[in-house]
Amino acid sequence: MKLILLGAPGAGKGTQAEVICEKFNIPAISTGNILREAIKNGTEMGLKAKSYIDNGNLVPDEVVIGIIKDRLAEDDCKNGFILDGFPRTIPQAEALDSMNIGIDCALSIEVADEKIMQRLSGRRVCLTCGATYHVDYKKPAKEGICNNCGAELVQRNDDKPETIADRLAVYHSQTEPLKDYYKKAGKLITVEGQEEVKDTTRLVLAALEF
Ligand code: ADP
Ligand code: ZN
């Protein structure tokens, strides 16, 4: 299965991607995680991407398109993959189309803006393994510590309240039009992501029966 996850930042794409990736045994590819890893490692790409991300802006299309091209060429993507956070603009979607890999569907997780504000401001992440948590809704077993790898959890710079509104605006203007793009291609499925994680998971898995 070749799947795209759409939705506002904090809609729960990453959380659902983890579930789907385990169930279908395909890799989940998060451009956000790849970029944060590059920043942590101080690579040239990371240096370039950091100010865009910290300010709530999108990283230039050519950078993320390059990342995805390389990643999808790897062996583990042969039987399918989940894209979490790509494409985020129409040019990115067009670039993906031109790779001729035959996307099966684009699944959009719908969450209202007020809820997004709440979720992102309470989100905590592990910069070592990419796992995400929430101070109220998805607590780690031990406060401030990653369940998977024991590293310390932090708040992302771009999850600070002053940046969240900017990211939402970017989502509505640049990413949301992708719903229409995939609808026209007959590939769009939408699910409600407002309630608890397990509710969304149930809807997502039901939707993927096709
Ligand atoms: P979230 O979990 O909030 O949806 P991500 O972790 O996917 O956010 O991405 C964090 C940031 O990384 C984005 O706000 C953006 O700056 C950058 N980024 C990630 N994916 C893309 C993309 N496809 N195009 C442009 N920028 C991207
Ligand atoms: Zn971790």
Side-chain angles (χ1 to χ4, degrees), residues 125-133 145-153:
V125 300
C126 171
L127 290 178
T128 303
C129 76
T132 63
Y133 301 87
I145 301 295
C146 178
N147 290 348
N148 296 341
C149 72
E152 202 176 322
L153 302 179

Side-chain angles (χ1 to χ4, degrees), residues 112-186:
D113 284 7
E114 308 79 76
K115 198 108 194 180
I116 294 288
M117 298 295 271
Q118 245 177 44
R119 286 194 190 170
L120 289 182
S121 52
R123 177 158 75 177
R124 298 293 180 271
V125 300
C126 171
L127 290 178
T128 303
C129 76
T132 63
Y133 301 87
H134 191 282
V135 292
D136 299 316
Y137 309 131
K138 196 182 167 194
K139 296 183 184 175
K142 188 161 173 246
E143 196 185 323
I145 301 295
C146 178
N147 290 348
N148 296 341
C149 72
E152 202 176 322
L153 302 179
V154 297
Q155 180 171 44
R156 278 166 42 179
N157 285 336
D158 58 338
D159 281 346
K160 307 253 153 84
E162 58 275 23
T163 313
I164 294 175
D166 293 335
R167 288 168 63 203
L168 264 174
V170 167
Y171 168 72
H172 288 303
S173 65
Q174 304 212 52
T175 308
E176 211 167 17
L178 290 177
K179 288 201 283 186
D180 236 23
Y181 182 93
Y182 288 108
K183 192 172 183 182
K184 285 189 184 124

